[in-house]
Amino acid sequence: MFKIFNEKLDWHGLKLELETGKIARQADGAVISSLGGTKVLCTVCAAKNADPALDFFPLSVHYIEKAYAAGKIPGGFFKREGRPSEIETLNSRLIDRPLRPLFHPDFKNETQVICTVLNYDLENDPGICALIGASAALTISGLPFLGPVGCARVGYKDGEYILNPTVEEMQETELDLVVAGTRNGVLMVESEANQLPEDIMLGAVKFGHTQFQPVINSIIKLAESSAKDSWVVPEQIEPDYVDKLKKVSVPELQKVYKIKEKKERQSKIEDLKIKLFDDFNSNDDLEINEFNSKLKQIEKEVVRNSILNENKRIDGRDLKTVRDIKCEVGFLNNVHGSALFTRGETQALVLTTLGTGQDEQIKDTLDGDFREKFMLHYNFPPFSVNEVGRIGSTGRREIGHGKLAWRSVNPLFSNITEFPYTVRVVSEITESNGSSSMATVCGTSMSMMDAGVPIEKPIAGVAMGLILEDEKFAILTDILGDEDHLGDMDFKVAGTDSGITSLQMDIKVNGITEEIMEKALQQAKDARVHILKEMGKTISKSRDDVSDNAPKILKMKIKKDKIREVIGSGGKVIKEICEKSNAKVEIDDDGNILISCNDSASGEVATKMIEDIVAEPEIGKIYEGKVVKTMEFGAFVNFLGQRDGLVHISQLKPERVEKTTDVVKEGDLVKVKVIGVDDRGKVKLSLKDAV
């Protein structure tokens, strides 16, 4: 019934297995990818015909985690998987990026890749497993895919690189890097690092590229036995008008691309498109999408030739110059930290909000629930690029760019041990013309310092571009949006003056060489140092105190055996403290207490109430208390918050007292002196000695 093919690989002590022919047999390609005990079903389906109206490749990649894979039932009311989580979105992008550039340029059939996590062993990354499986599924599907692609995760500890570290090992590494590519070059890099130098980062990329070569060989072996017939991509016949269009349009485009201001340049290009289409469409037989596609190709050649042959960029800069930078902080009065970072025509308004432990984000993942103290959210409204667009739920791009900025800053935030606040940063992109994610990194650094978050150093980021033609190449510092669209690489580097904290690279060609990467890293370092100097003119270190608008957080510690007294039965005592003081009180199992409030007075009230509860009565010391019960033999007085002591009838007055109620009644406020504590911890009080 089944015709099963599989390949097994001992991948440096880790078992990798690729199997096809048993599950999802109706898909164009289906592979069960296993890494250790982690299993992912990867499928590929493509439409049999292309939509002639499309002028782009409609590829969609979906990475899906099922709760059953980790032996869990989904949370929430519906108890089933719903909208994609952040990790699902990020892994979908991670898989998409190295696969997309390897499809035949003329293939426009709608294609869908779905990677479903079936089993997770809580050790081996299902994202790496899914990318390998997706590459294998595409390779055997017969689609015009110029793979296969291999990938690996790389860690770094004690001067040594670690291949595919486990979840536990990742907790102690200085680097979390994913690299993907073909036999000949690297296509994609995604990383977070603890201020590592350029040579260590480049070494990690080379290490990963070398180590995943056996994976590529295994995929090829699987394809040799199980691949389907190759799809035929119809040959594209060049329209007759292309040569004439090129002759007419090149001089006009060269003029337009000397306009530095983006909005004016785009307006002129649109006018030129309309004019050229009208001129060439004399018989009303031109297809507008095809015409625009050919004109776009001519645009690309104009821009690329200018850069390669004349070292001239669209805005007149040379290859290494960073656009003008303007920075401001602290200009919004009610927020806890604010920064406006403007670099050329890219601008990020970044706001920092400080919260308490109750504001931490709880994330439900296959690895279990955990709490996040640092959040960074990136928003890209359509007005930032002069467009009318849909406003709705957060898109994949926004999640991806926000996570990149988060990775860039998180290594320094993670080094902070004594800062009690939860931090949320929001980046609002108000203008965009190239690398708004790196503008977000710069703005986040300044906004957090303005809020008093004690990060060790400022962090900056820059995006690099590449124009590659045969053996000739040019690396561009601080790329514009058009240079990104028309170029061959998007290479983003963030870090401090000490080293790199994040590196992300996407390639639109079939990989790049070590020489290009090394030069790009050095050029990015020079740019980063320049940007940090510009930022330092506005703010160079964190403010000594948090904003007056931020909640006040007081810290104290009590003995573990006193925790029950502070919480009380059913939380009665701690609720009373919160109500009376108008403060929030959080206590952990070690006796650490955080008191958060809007003003110092509330914090002082809560602190005093807790101190009274946990304080030990001192013999000879006088306290104020309240009579809570009278008996024939004396009165019980509550003092130090929740502690009761007995005033014997003989200790009410110097002279003899007949009835306790002759001296005190329930509810009376009195001063009492501690005169002893018996073997059972019962406190003896005196009213007469306190007078």
Side-chain angles (χ1 to χ4, degrees):
M1 183 176 184
F2 301 121
K3 191 174 182 180
I4 300 173
F5 303 91
N6 62 54
E7 282 294 327
K8 296 181 180 179
L9 172 67
D10 183 353
W11 194 14
H12 296 277
L14 182 60
K15 179 184 175 183
L16 172 67
E17 183 175 359
L18 303 172
E19 179 185 287
T20 187
K22 186 175 182 179
I23 296 179
R25 291 172 294 163
Q26 296 190 43
D28 290 317
V31 170
I32 296 284
S33 175
S34 302
L35 194 62
T38 297
K39 291 182 181 292
V40 183
L41 170 62
C42 304
T43 61
V44 177
C45 289
K48 300 305 175 278
N49 297 293
D51 183 346
L54 290 179
D55 59 352
F56 65 95
F57 175 39
L59 170 68
S60 62
V61 177
H62 304 273
Y63 167 90
I64 302 170
E65 291 185 340
K66 298 296 187 179
Y68 57 68
K72 297 177 61 177
I73 294 176
F77 182 77
F78 294 104
K79 296 299 177 185
R80 70 175 297 165
E81 291 82 5
R83 59 177 293 179
S85 66
E86 182 181 87
I87 190 65
E88 287 175 305
T89 299
L90 294 171
N91 275 336
S92 296
R93 287 169 55 87
L94 193 77
I95 297 165
D96 183 303
R97 285 156 48 198
L99 300 182
R100 186 176 291 270
L102 295 182
F103 283 87
H104 192 288
D106 294 330
F107 185 67
K108 297 294 189 291
N109 300 39
E110 185 173 4
T111 303
Q112 186 176 62
V113 177
I114 301 176
C115 302
T116 307
V117 181
L118 303 178
N119 196 76
Y120 178 42
D121 63 3
L122 303 179
E123 285 189 1
N124 297 295
D125 182 17
I128 296 296
C129 188
L131 180 45
I132 293 171
S135 171
L138 281 166
T139 304
I140 69 172
S141 67
L143 270 63
F145 174 70
L146 307 178
V149 167
C151 69
R153 186 176 293 274
V154 179
Y156 183 75
K157 181 182 178 184
D158 299 330
E160 298 288 337
Y161 294 115
I162 306 170
L163 179 66
N164 294 321
T166 63
V167 172
E168 184 177 347
E169 288 173 329
M170 283 304 306
Q171 305 302 316
E172 300 178 356
T173 65
E174 298 178 69
L175 172 68
D176 179 7
L177 180 142
V178 176
V179 56
T182 61
R183 274 180 169 171
N184 300 321
V186 174
L187 288 166
M188 184 273 296
V189 176
E190 183 83 55
S191 66
E192 178 182 341
N194 191 10
Q195 301 184 75
L196 294 178
E198 277 70 13
D199 60 333
I200 298 295
M201 297 297 291
L202 182 59
V205 175
K206 290 164 56 180
F207 174 82
H209 183 256
T210 301
Q211 298 301 323
F212 66 59
Q213 295 304 314
V215 176
I216 292 178
N217 294 335
S218 291
I219 295 174
I220 292 173
K221 288 180 182 178
L222 181 70
E224 287 173 347
S225 61
S226 63
K228 298 179 181 178
D229 293 339
S230 298
W231 289 37
V232 177
V233 179
E235 183 179 354
Q236 299 294 314
I237 301 174
E238 195 80 338
D240 296 336
Y241 61 81
V242 170
D243 288 339
K244 184 180 178 182
L245 176 63
K246 184 177 293 188
K247 185 176 180 180
V248 172
S249 64
V250 166
E252 296 296 326
L253 287 169
Q254 288 174 335
K255 292 178 185 177
V256 170
Y257 272 103
K258 289 180 181 178
I259 300 173
K260 296 181 181 181
E261 204 269 325
K262 175 186 174 183
K263 188 175 178 180
E264 182 184 353
R265 183 172 66 250
Q266 288 184 335
S267 177
K268 294 288 186 183
I269 289 174
E270 289 303 315
D271 292 344
L272 180 61
K273 283 182 180 179
I274 294 171
K275 178 180 180 301
L276 289 171
F277 183 75
D278 289 342
D279 291 345
F280 277 78
N281 193 27
S282 56
N283 297 321
D284 294 330
D285 58 352
L286 277 187
E287 207 284 312
I288 189 167
N289 284 337
E290 180 188 63
F291 182 86
N292 286 338
S293 177
K294 298 304 177 184
L295 186 59
K296 190 70 177 178
Q297 185 61 39
I298 297 171
E299 279 185 65
K300 186 175 182 179
E301 292 174 7
V302 167
V303 174
R304 293 165 67 91
N305 289 336
S306 176
I307 292 171
L308 281 175
N309 301 327
E310 304 173 30
N311 284 344
K312 285 188 178 180
R313 299 168 66 176
I314 296 171
D315 57 2
R317 283 181 294 151
D318 60 27
L319 304 186
K320 296 183 178 181
T321 299
V322 178
R323 288 171 289 174
D324 291 340
I325 292 172
K326 175 70 175 177
C327 304
E328 298 176 55
V329 295
F331 59 92
L332 294 177
N333 296 330
N334 290 334
V335 301
H336 303 156
S338 59
L340 183 67
F341 179 84
T342 308
R343 185 191 60 239
E345 294 176 303
T346 295
Q347 185 179 77
L349 174 61
V350 188
L351 303 316
T352 297
T353 306
L354 304 180
T356 68
Q358 295 179 3
D359 296 311
E360 291 178 357
Q361 183 180 18
I362 301 175
K363 291 191 174 182
D364 181 14
T365 69
L366 293 185
D367 289 299
D369 295 349
F370 69 95
R371 303 177 76 91
E372 186 65 74
K373 281 191 67 173
F374 172 44
M375 296 163 277
L376 195 156
H377 299 144
Y378 165 102
N379 297 316
F380 192 88
F383 65 76
S384 65
V385 286
N386 190 33
E387 291 180 358
V388 177
R390 175 178 170 271
I391 299 293
S393 59
T394 309
R396 282 188 174 189
R397 183 178 184 276
E398 290 178 302
I399 292 173
H401 280 44
K403 191 63 176 181
L404 172 59
W406 182 91
R407 288 193 181 106
S408 303
V409 178
N410 185 58
L412 275 81
F413 184 84
S414 298
N415 292 336
I416 302 171
T417 56
E418 297 298 322
F419 194 62
Y421 291 92
T422 296
V423 178
R424 181 188 184 229
V425 176
V426 178
S427 174
E428 304 285 359
I429 302 304
T430 50
E431 294 180 36
S432 180
N433 185 13
S435 191
S436 56
S437 62
M438 294 296 97
T440 294
V441 172
C442 300
T444 296
S445 173
M446 294 191 298
S447 178
M448 290 175 71
M449 289 190 291
D450 182 52
V453 181
I455 56 175
E456 175 189 349
K457 292 182 174 184
I459 309 117
V462 64
M464 314 296 292
L466 172 71
I467 305 296
L468 177 65
E469 294 289 349
D470 299 323
E471 299 299 317
K472 195 173 183 180
F473 69 89
I475 295 172
L476 314 179
T477 294
D478 181 23
I479 55 175
L480 302 173
D482 286 338
E483 292 170 339
D484 184 7
H485 302 321
L486 303 176
D488 299 315
M489 177 180 75
D490 185 9
F491 189 94
K492 297 172 181 174
V493 189
T496 67
D497 57 5
S498 298
I500 293 172
T501 55
S502 183
L503 168 64
Q504 184 185 85
M505 182 180 74
D506 291 306
I507 303 298
K508 302 174 188 176
V509 291
N510 294 340
I512 60 170
T513 64
E514 180 182 333
E515 177 193 2
I516 293 175
M517 279 197 66
E518 188 171 4
K519 186 174 180 180
L521 280 170
Q522 184 56 52
Q523 205 165 308
K525 181 180 180 180
D526 296 339
R528 187 171 78 246
V529 170
H530 167 75
I531 296 169
L532 285 168
K533 287 180 180 178
E534 293 299 308
M535 291 164 54
K537 295 175 183 178
T538 301
I539 186 168
S540 59
K541 65 177 184 177
S542 297
R543 303 199 188 281
D544 294 332
D545 298 308
V546 300
S547 165
D548 291 339
N549 297 322
K552 308 297 181 289
I553 296 185
L554 308 175
K555 297 190 291 185
M556 61 186 300
K557 187 175 179 66
I558 62 174
K559 295 179 180 179
K560 290 184 180 181
D561 58 4
K562 296 290 184 181
I563 295 175
R564 291 177 61 185
E565 296 180 28
V566 175
I567 296 176
S569 177
K572 178 181 177 182
V573 175
I574 199 167
K575 288 177 183 176
E576 183 181 355
I577 295 172
C578 294
E579 290 172 359
K580 288 186 176 180
S581 66
N582 199 27
K584 295 179 182 178
V585 179
E586 302 170 48
I587 183 168
D588 66 19
D589 295 338
D590 293 324
N592 296 304
I593 297 179
L594 292 180
I595 302 169
S596 55
C597 49
N598 293 325
D599 57 80
S600 300
S602 297
E604 291 171 2
V605 171
T607 301
K608 180 65 167 59
M609 293 178 71
I610 295 171
E611 288 175 343
D612 287 347
I613 293 171
V614 302
E616 296 290 344
E618 296 181 31
I619 295 178
K621 189 171 182 178
I622 296 174
Y623 298 93
E624 187 173 286
K626 181 179 181 181
V627 178
V628 292
K629 193 172 185 179
T630 58
M631 307 289 288
E632 291 182 3
F633 52 82
F636 288 97
V637 176
N638 179 270
F639 70 108
L640 287 178
Q642 301 297 319
R643 183 175 290 276
D644 290 344
L646 174 64
V647 181
H648 192 268
I649 194 169
S650 63
Q651 295 294 325
L652 290 172
K653 278 191 171 185
E655 63 270 18
R656 179 181 175 81
V657 175
E658 293 293 336
K659 291 175 61 178
T660 302
T661 52
D662 290 341
V663 181
V664 293
K665 294 181 176 61
E666 290 184 13
D668 287 351
L669 297 178
V670 296
K671 289 187 176 181
V672 291
K673 183 177 182 179
V674 178
I675 58 174
V677 180
D678 65 17
D679 295 339
R680 296 173 297 169
K682 302 295 185 181
V683 181
K684 299 177 182 179
L685 303 173
S686 173
L687 201 65
K688 65 181 183 180
D689 291 348
V691 176

